[in-house]
């Protein structure tokens, strides 16, 4: 049986893609008879198919002594072999452009990486220098130094922790050193007459003994109370036990009762849990003194003052209550505003004692603690002092 077909049916479609087609497209029988050749060079000759048999894949083969690339397909019912044969030279002409593009893009990426890396390193180095400079400034006692914060990396965490450290250091300095300086200043004001304390103690003791010898034991006891009160006030310790501070208040009030006998009732209710707790020296006594100076009624015989000490929700609370003159509403508002203001008051100011105590308490224990005032004009006043309670068990 002889089958004839028009080769134009294969040539014409192939001609439309000839420019895009690389190498030769061949259709042959298994025996090597060429049915179609896109290059028209194998017609009338046997194509050496022995090297391409059983190669249904892309591989390098030897065709007519030439090392070529061939893509072979024999999956068809007609049993013919379709092969595309390309020489290495033809392949290389197409890959040169690709290689140039790959080389160009590689250089671009390398350059961009170098620029980006250099920029990041410079930025990182600049921020590192800022941190180092801040640490150097801190070393020369600049307590207000801060590092500008820029989020996004580990340096942000370092800067944040450094700033927090400075805040804690400043808070500690204010709480410990500034409070101690104010305490020292208060002692200096008390000693501004430059009287030798030992000379004063000895003088008061001599007066007391003379009073007792002259048959005036009450005068002698008053002088003893005054000397004891003065001696305890002049001690250099900034923090004392609650019992010591309450004893100072008791001595002061007992000395005041000699001046107004049977006109003042004094009561102390201090819980045993807080007796050995530490408290800022001269913190309760100025509150008691404030009542004596501004709240006591000389025309009444039922005056009373009550000092209460207890623990409330983990906080030590000392309350000084009285039935004195009280504080007018307008003056009470102004006094509360003064307690909130962290400023120095003039020595002539009437409320300097309470303001000084409140500032010292907040410097030592924090702004969550301090003094609170409740008062009604003509009825009495209640001053509450809150400080941390430390369980020593």
């Amino acid at each position: 049986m002889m089958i004839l077909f028009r080769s134009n049916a294969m040539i014409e479609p192939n001609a439309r893609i000839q420019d895009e087609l690389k190498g030769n497209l061949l259709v042959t029988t298994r025996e090597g008879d060429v049915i179609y050749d896109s290059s028209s060079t194998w017609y009338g000759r046997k194509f050496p198919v022995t090297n391409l048999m059983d190669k249904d894949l892309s591989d390098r083969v030897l065709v007519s002594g030439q090392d070529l690339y061939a893509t072979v397909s024999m999956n068809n019912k007609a049993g013919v072999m379709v092969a595309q044969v390309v020489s290495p030279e033809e392949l290389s002409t197409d890959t040169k452009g690709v290689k140039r593009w790959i080389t160009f893009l590689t250089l671009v990426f390398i350059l961009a990486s170098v620029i980006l890396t250099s920029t990041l390193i410079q930025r990182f180095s600049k921020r590192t220098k800022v941190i180092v400079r801040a640490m150097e400034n801190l070393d020369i006692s600049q307590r207000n130094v801060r590092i500008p914060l820029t989020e996004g990396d580990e340096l942000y965490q370092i800067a944040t922790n450094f700033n927090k450290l400075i805040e804690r250091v400043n808070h500690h300095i204010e709480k410990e050193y500034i409070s101690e300086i104010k305490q020292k200043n208060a002692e200096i004001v008390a000693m501004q007459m430059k009287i030798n304390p030992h000379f004063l103690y000895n003088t008061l003791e001599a007066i007391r003994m003379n009073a007792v010898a002259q048959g005036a034991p009450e005068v002698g006891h008053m002088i003893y109370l005054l000397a004891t009160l003065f001696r305890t006030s002049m001690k250099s310790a900034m923090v004392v036990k609650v019992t010591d501070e309450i004893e100072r208040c008791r001595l002061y009030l007992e000395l005041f009762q000699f001046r107004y006998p049977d006109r003042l009732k004094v009561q102390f209710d201090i819980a045993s849990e807080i007796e050995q707790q530490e408290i800022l020296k001269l913190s309760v006594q100025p509150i008691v003194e404030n009542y004596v100076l501004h709240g006591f009624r000389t025309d009444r015989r039922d005056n009373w003052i009550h000092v209460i000490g207890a623990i409330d929700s983990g906080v030590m609370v000392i309350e000084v209550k009285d039935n004195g003159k009280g504080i007018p509403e307008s003056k009470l508002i102004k006094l509360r505003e003064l307690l909130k203001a962290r400023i120095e008051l003039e020595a002539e100011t009437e409320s300097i004692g309470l303001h000084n105590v409140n500032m010292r308490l907040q410097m030592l224990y924090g702004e969550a603690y301090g003094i609170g005032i409740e008062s009604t004009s003509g009825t009495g006043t209640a001053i509450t002092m809150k400080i941390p309670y430390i369980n020593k068990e």
Side-chain angles (χ1 to χ4, degrees):
M1 180 182 295
M2 181 179 294
I3 299 175
L4 301 176
F5 64 92
R6 291 176 57 84
S7 61
N8 289 339
M10 298 179 64
I11 295 174
E12 291 175 359
N14 185 56
R16 291 196 293 267
I17 62 172
Q18 185 65 37
D19 294 337
E20 301 176 4
L21 188 65
K22 297 298 179 182
N24 298 333
L25 182 63
L26 296 170
V27 181
T28 69
T29 64
R30 287 180 176 270
E31 290 76 20
D33 295 322
V34 177
I35 300 174
Y36 172 74
D37 177 15
S38 63
S39 64
S40 301
T41 58
W42 288 95
Y43 287 127
R45 294 190 297 162
K46 290 278 186 179
F47 186 79
V49 298
T50 55
N51 293 334
L52 300 180
M53 296 299 292
D54 300 325
K55 288 185 178 293
D56 190 13
L57 47 82
S58 294
D59 200 358
R60 297 188 65 167
V61 296
L62 192 62
V63 178
S64 300
Q66 290 184 324
D67 190 17
L68 304 176
Y69 289 94
T71 301
V72 183
S73 176
M74 297 185 67
N75 295 328
N76 54 78
K77 294 181 180 180
V80 297
M81 183 177 65
V82 179
Q84 183 178 4
V85 182
V86 184
S87 66
E89 290 77 11
E90 289 180 293
L91 284 177
S92 63
T93 57
D94 238 17
T95 58
K96 286 180 180 178
V98 176
K99 289 180 180 179
R100 284 195 296 267
W101 273 105
I102 292 176
T103 303
F104 173 75
L105 292 177
T106 301
L107 292 176
V108 170
F109 286 138
I110 292 174
L111 181 61
S113 299
V114 171
I115 294 175
L116 179 61
T117 303
S118 176
T119 302
L120 292 176
I121 291 176
Q122 289 181 358
R123 182 183 177 188
F124 191 87
S125 176
K126 185 181 297 184
R127 294 181 58 200
T128 304
K129 290 179 180 178
V130 172
I131 295 177
V132 173
R133 193 178 302 114
M135 292 181 177
E136 291 175 350
N137 292 336
L138 178 64
D139 188 53
I140 58 176
S141 301
Q142 293 186 14
R143 294 193 298 111
N144 294 323
V145 62
R146 294 294 185 276
I147 299 176
L149 299 179
T150 303
E151 297 186 12
D153 54 21
E154 291 79 3
L155 291 182
Y156 169 75
Q157 298 178 359
I158 295 175
T160 302
N161 292 332
F162 179 85
N163 291 343
K164 289 181 179 179
L165 174 63
I166 298 304
E167 292 293 340
R168 288 195 294 268
V169 169
N170 288 340
H171 177 71
H172 180 76
I173 291 175
E174 288 185 2
K175 185 174 71 172
E176 298 293 337
Y177 293 97
I178 297 181
S179 181
E180 186 172 354
I181 289 173
K182 286 184 174 292
Q183 176 70 22
K184 294 296 183 182
N185 289 339
E187 295 174 359
I188 291 173
V189 171
M191 297 180 63
Q192 60 185 352
M193 299 304 295
K194 298 182 179 179
I195 300 176
N196 189 319
H198 295 287
F199 171 77
L200 181 59
Y201 302 151
N202 295 335
T203 303
L204 289 175
E205 180 64 17
I207 295 173
R208 186 185 71 83
M209 293 177 62
N210 187 47
V212 173
Q214 295 295 326
E218 290 187 356
V219 175
H221 187 59
M222 291 177 63
I223 295 174
Y224 167 76
L225 293 176
L226 178 61
T228 304
L229 183 64
F230 185 75
R231 185 188 300 272
T232 57
S233 298
M234 291 304 297
K235 290 182 178 179
S236 60
M238 184 177 68
V239 177
V240 297
K241 293 180 180 179
V242 172
T243 52
D244 296 334
E245 183 67 15
I246 296 301
E247 178 64 16
R248 185 179 293 107
C249 296
R250 188 190 65 78
L251 292 173
Y252 180 84
L253 290 173
E254 186 178 349
L255 187 61
F256 181 75
Q257 285 176 313
F258 275 103
R259 182 180 178 186
Y260 297 99
D262 301 325
R263 293 191 184 184
L264 175 62
K265 180 181 178 181
V266 179
Q267 184 177 354
F268 292 94
D269 289 322
I270 307 299
S272 59
E273 294 86 356
I274 69 171
E275 288 182 347
Q276 300 303 312
Q277 287 288 306
E278 292 184 342
I279 190 173
L280 193 64
K281 190 178 80 171
L282 296 176
S283 56
V284 182
Q285 190 265 338
I287 299 176
V288 173
E289 182 180 349
N290 194 68
Y291 159 71
V292 170
L293 296 177
H294 307 294
F296 180 76
R297 295 172 180 245
T298 57
D299 57 339
R300 293 176 52 172
R301 306 186 69 85
D302 61 344
N303 293 286
W304 58 264
I305 182 171
H306 191 187
V307 181
I308 306 169
I311 302 172
D312 184 12
S313 301
V315 177
M316 186 165 63
V317 180
I318 296 179
E319 185 178 19
V320 180
K321 301 166 62 176
D322 64 68
N323 65 339
K325 298 177 182 179
I327 305 174
E329 183 66 23
S330 58
K331 187 176 180 180
L332 181 62
I333 294 174
K334 184 179 296 185
L335 180 57
R336 286 172 175 167
E337 291 177 352
L338 286 175
L339 291 180
K340 293 180 181 179
R342 298 179 63 86
I343 57 175
E344 296 286 348
L345 297 182
E346 297 295 334
E348 293 79 11
T349 304
E350 184 177 309
S351 304
I352 187 173
L354 296 179
H355 182 269
N356 181 272
V357 170
N358 189 62
M359 279 194 66
R360 290 164 61 217
L361 287 173
Q362 291 187 346
M363 286 182 178
L364 186 60
Y365 302 115
E367 295 187 1
Y369 304 95
I371 289 178
I373 302 178
E374 297 293 336
S375 182
T376 302
S377 181
T379 302
T381 303
I383 298 180
T384 304
M385 181 174 64
K386 296 181 177 180
I387 63 176
Y389 170 73
I390 302 175
N391 191 347
K392 297 183 178 180
E393 293 182 359

